[in-house]
Amino acid sequence: MGYVYYGQYASYYEVARVESLRNLGFAYKKLEEQGIMLPVLENNTRFLAPATYDELLDIHAKIVTRPGVRLIFEYEIYNEKGELINTGNTVLVFVDKTTGKPCRPPQNMLDLLNPYFE
């Protein structure tokens, strides 16, 4: 078909999340080292236009609310022409690796994110 497979967008979102946190100074690996996982609870995608194979895409990710037990990201994907072709969001939940129960985010992560919500 020449279009990017629709399931690939979840991978795009994941890369955008990981890199966004890394750019803030918080690697996802650090979270797991602190005994916390961050599984996806919801994944929503809206396709506005197709991405084509070998096209360079620009993916914007932002955290829309101060994290609590949940962390919500919103995404916008633009094609090479700068056209918005996809929007979406994911809801993730902080989970204690030992108990498997939801937990609060680590304070060092909140310290990095808090200035963006003041």
Side-chain angles (χ1 to χ4, degrees):
M1 287 190 321
Y3 297 136
V4 172
Y5 171 64
Y6 76 92
Q8 186 63 37
Y9 288 81
S11 295
Y12 294 159
Y13 293 172
E14 181 176 9
V15 169
R17 278 194 306 275
V18 169
E19 292 305 316
S20 293
L21 292 174
R22 186 188 323 274
N23 286 335
L24 289 172
F26 193 88
Y28 182 80
K29 183 178 178 181
K30 233 189 249 187
L31 193 63
E32 290 193 344
E33 288 170 354
Q34 293 176 346
I36 300 174
M37 299 181 300
L38 198 54
V40 174
L41 183 63
E42 294 178 27
N43 180 31
N44 301 292
T45 303
R46 182 163 183 194
F47 302 97
L48 306 173
T52 58
Y53 287 129
D54 205 33
E55 181 176 32
L56 295 176
L57 302 175
D58 187 18
I59 305 169
H60 299 203
K62 65 180 176 179
I63 299 171
V64 296
T65 59
R66 187 185 311 267
V69 172
R70 294 179 182 200
L71 178 60
I72 302 170
F73 278 89
E74 287 185 353
Y75 311 94
E76 293 179 342
I77 301 179
Y78 296 85
N79 64 14
E80 288 180 328
K81 298 175 189 170
E83 300 165 329
L84 180 65
I85 62 168
N86 180 278
T87 62
N89 68 62
T90 52
V91 178
L92 300 98
V93 62
F94 293 93
V95 174
D96 183 292
K97 285 174 77 172
T98 305
T99 66
K101 295 186 180 193
C103 64
R104 306 273 309 150
Q107 189 59 49
N108 58 338
M109 182 181 196
L110 289 175
D111 291 344
L112 287 171
L113 293 174
N114 278 337
Y116 297 96
F117 297 102
E118 293 177 349

